[in-house]
Amino acid sequence: MNPITRLFIYIIFSLSILLSESGNILLINVIVVFFVFILKRSLLGQFWKSIKPYMIYLPLSGVLFFIISIQISTKSIPIIFIDVLMATTRLLAMISIMIFYILETKSQNILIAVRSIWFSSGLNIHWVDKSILFFEMTMRFFPSIQENWIQIQRSQKALSIEKHNSIKDKVFYAAKFIPDFVVLNLKRTDFIIENMLMRGFGTEARRSIYPYLKFKIVDIVICLLVLTSIIMVHNFV
């Protein structure tokens, strides 16, 4: 399945969950989420680690919203309780489905799919190529930059440099150190630019793409079937 098709399915299903106004539609969406749990059971270990903060935050926010609604709303307590329960369920189901998407999908595959569609279109607009390249480089190099930042913080602790416990001290420390961190990475940036120029970027009109992920007719049919099914469920259930 094309990564764009997979992203479309998850986004449409998430919107379906958020737009579930009746209990029947919400129940159908929750059942689908349980089927996803079964299909993606190999990812459940990572899923529980990611969902833990929300399992605490969402019920607490629901209780707070319920207390406030009792004070300011003219609705009866049972109706307020049902509304809060449905809202919490919608958010929890949507977050769950998107966590599964993040766990099983690599962001670089999305960019490769976008580049494949752009390349197959035959259009020659240089600023679009530059924009796609910018996001590709951001996705590729951000983890290594983050790792360098973590290593620098560990080295600071190893050298027994004064710790910054309060949030204010951490913010001031980061603001003071970021310019030096940027300067340290300038040499690496120049090296990357030099390699890109040697490979012909900027002189050639377009870049090729590998691997080429073709957006097939099957992907279009799948997107249309999913969209049609969700529209029918929301209109006729």
Side-chain angles (χ1 to χ4, degrees):
M1 184 185 296
N2 192 285
I4 294 179
T5 305
R6 183 181 290 106
L7 176 63
F8 177 82
I9 292 173
Y10 275 92
I11 290 178
I12 287 296
F13 185 59
S14 298
L15 290 175
S16 174
I17 294 172
L18 286 178
L19 297 176
S20 301
E21 296 182 357
S22 68
N24 293 333
I25 297 177
L26 181 59
L27 179 61
I28 293 174
N29 286 315
V30 171
I31 292 173
V32 174
V33 172
F34 277 113
F35 275 114
V36 173
F37 270 64
I38 297 173
L39 294 174
K40 310 295 182 183
R41 55 185 177 272
S42 61
L43 299 173
L44 286 179
Q46 301 176 55
F47 171 81
W48 291 120
K49 293 180 181 178
S50 302
I51 199 68
K52 275 184 180 180
Y54 300 100
M55 296 295 290
I56 299 173
Y57 168 75
L58 290 177
L60 288 178
S61 61
V63 171
L64 180 62
F65 183 74
F66 177 73
I67 295 173
I68 295 175
S69 298
I70 291 176
Q71 302 297 324
I72 63 176
S73 178
T74 56
K75 295 181 179 179
S76 62
I77 293 179
I79 294 178
I80 294 175
F81 176 78
I82 293 173
D83 290 341
V84 172
L85 181 62
M86 289 184 62
T88 304
T89 304
R90 280 195 292 263
L91 289 175
L92 185 59
M94 186 198 69
I95 292 172
S96 299
I97 204 69
M98 293 311 297
I99 286 176
F100 276 117
Y101 171 76
I102 293 172
L103 291 177
E104 73 170 356
T105 307
K106 295 181 179 179
S107 56
Q108 289 184 358
N109 291 340
I110 296 294
L111 293 173
I112 292 173
V114 171
R115 278 186 59 197
S116 299
I117 292 177
W118 176 247
F119 185 79
S120 61
S121 68
L123 298 175
N124 186 12
I125 304 175
H126 199 53
W127 68 267
V128 176
D129 288 330
K130 286 184 176 180
S131 300
I132 296 175
L133 178 64
F134 169 77
F135 286 109
E136 281 183 324
M137 295 184 68
T138 301
M139 294 293 184
R140 183 177 300 176
F141 292 110
F142 179 77
S144 61
I145 293 175
Q146 186 181 29
E147 182 64 26
N148 290 338
W149 180 267
I150 293 173
Q151 289 181 358
I152 290 173
Q153 288 182 325
R154 289 175 179 172
S155 64
Q156 298 285 341
K157 292 180 180 179
L159 294 172
S160 299
I161 295 177
E162 182 182 358
K163 295 182 180 180
H164 303 276
N165 296 322
S166 66
I167 297 177
K168 180 180 177 181
D169 292 338
K170 290 181 180 179
V171 170
F172 278 105
Y173 170 77
K176 187 184 297 183
F177 188 74
I178 282 176
D180 296 330
F181 185 75
V182 171
V183 172
L184 291 172
N185 284 276
L186 283 178
K187 185 176 181 180
R188 184 183 181 188
T189 303
D190 292 337
F191 180 75
I192 293 172
I193 293 173
E194 182 180 353
N195 278 273
M196 290 173 62
L197 293 175
M198 291 175 63
R199 293 181 180 181
F201 181 78
T203 57
E204 299 291 335
R206 306 191 70 204
R207 293 189 300 152
S208 60
I209 174 68
Y210 181 83
Y212 179 74
L213 301 178
K214 186 177 181 181
F215 195 76
K216 302 177 182 179
I217 297 178
V218 176
D219 295 302
I220 299 175
V221 172
I222 292 174
C223 292
L224 290 176
L225 285 176
V226 172
L227 180 61
T228 303
S229 301
I230 289 177
I231 291 175
M232 291 179 64
V233 167
H234 280 265
N235 287 334
F236 298 107
V237 174

